[in-house]
Amino acid sequence: MRSPRRCSRNGCPRQAVATLTYVYNESTAVVGPLAAFAEPHTYDLCEPHARSLTAPRGWDVVRHEGEFEPPPPTTDDLVALAEAVREAARPAPRPPEPDQGHENPHQTGRRGHLRVIPPNH
């Protein structure tokens, strides 16, 4: 099951609601709504980190003025959840029953194209 995207800040367990992108040639940090897909060179942030982000001296911060909201669940999320529930509801496979006949540990057998040959004692 796909888990929701988490904040990129070290040790932060919160769900991401914003995406931080650096525009290096303009010395600007842009904090906007969460991007549809995680991209390289961008950072997902939770709301507290998105609101409190500061940029290096000489850089500007362009910040989304509206509310940061978690993304709605996608059909992929719902399908993954349904599959996880189905998997959990399946009964566990029963262990094989022991052979009721006499057991011979040196029995010759076949497995595919291989043949088991008992050791000589």
Side-chain angles (χ1 to χ4, degrees), residues 17-86:
V17 296
T19 297
L20 166 64
T21 306
Y22 290 107
V23 182
Y24 292 98
N25 61 349
E26 295 180 17
S27 299
T28 303
V30 180
V31 180
L34 187 64
F37 300 100
E39 298 282 338
H41 311 295
T42 64
Y43 303 90
D44 294 338
L45 300 175
C46 63
E47 185 165 4
H49 285 126
R51 297 263 181 233
S52 66
L53 178 91
T54 59
R57 187 175 298 157
W59 282 57
D60 295 320
V61 176
V62 175
R63 197 179 320 266
H64 173 70
E65 293 298 324
E67 293 295 317
F68 289 114
E69 296 180 17
T74 65
T75 55
D76 291 346
D77 295 334
L78 297 175
V79 168
L81 179 60
E83 288 174 0
V85 169
R86 279 189 216 109

Side-chain angles (χ1 to χ4, degrees), residues 1 6 13 18 24 36 48 51-52 54 79 84 92 97 99-100 111 119-120:
M1 185 170 150
R6 299 282 174 208
Y24 292 98
R51 297 263 181 233
S52 66
T54 59
V79 168
E97 294 183 20
D99 192 12
Q100 298 300 329
R111 185 167 255 180
N120 292 331

